[in-house]
Amino acid sequence: MNQIILSIQSCVSYGHVGNSAVTFPLQRLGVQVWPIHTVLFSNHTGYGQWRGKVIDIEGVSEVFLGIKDRGVLKYCDALLSGYMGSKELGKVMIEAIKELRKLKPETLYCCDPVMGDIGRGFFVKEGIPEFFKEEMIKYADIITPNHFELEYLSDKKFDAIEGAVEAARSVMKKGPKVVVITSLLLKDTKETNINMLVVNENSVYIATTPYISITLNGTGDLTAALFTHFYLKYKKNTQKALEATISRVYEVILKTAKASAKELVLVQAQNSLVKPKHLFKAKKVKI
């Protein structure tokens, strides 16, 4: 049976963030996706103007319960979550993973703790960072913070690999088995390279791509989804999952930059999702 991933995230009609960034790429890779939308917006809020509505908490729960009524939750391999508009929505995520694990204890939960970024600071409602830090990550198998978010979750500043690993392992004590730092900025190379670091109990791997000077929304959502898929596909082999993820994300960003597009060109780059031309190797880090 194909992988099945339940994704509880935002949805936009124009552009690619949240479920609009992860559904098609995962489907193109042969994954069955069950998207539950938390908002229905015209476009992402980075434009400054948008239309649409936030789905109330009861509405999100009702869709989840409707899937449960079909008797199919036992087939779900993973839950994926990202940006949250409220702590109440976070509680829905927690209840969802508890319900999934009752039926299938090995169900994976990948939590992308979307809170902020270097240069921007926090961009979520007050109280949400604390909720991620104190509650959400307890239930996650995988978390995919960027550099800024891991510094917050760990209460540690870092600009070298050793500090990043120390920060990741301090957060792992709260529950996660794998920490994927999606955009590690190292002191000596932050102007030329982007690094992705994966830490688990037994190993640390780093992969590096050239820095592409473009600001995009949705790349973190895409990264979390692809890593979840490949982590499952490669039987929890973090090295292979990292290599497969970073190679595809790089090519999508590269094609987007070449097209001078403001939104990820997922449809145009779909063949790169299946078979990327640029294959980046992950190196084992000895700490």
Side-chain angles (χ1 to χ4, degrees), residues 191-217:
E191 302 299 327
T192 57
N193 295 329
I194 287 288
N195 305 280
M196 198 177 293
L197 191 77
V198 178
V199 182
N200 70 6
E201 185 181 8
N202 303 312
S203 62
V204 179
Y205 286 96
I206 189 167
T208 301
T209 70
Y211 175 73
I212 300 172
S213 183
I214 185 172
T215 301
L216 293 166
N217 292 76

Side-chain angles (χ1 to χ4, degrees), residues 90-91 125 169 177 263:
K91 292 173 183 176
K125 286 182 181 177
R169 291 214 158 126
K177 299 175 181 67
E263 298 285 348

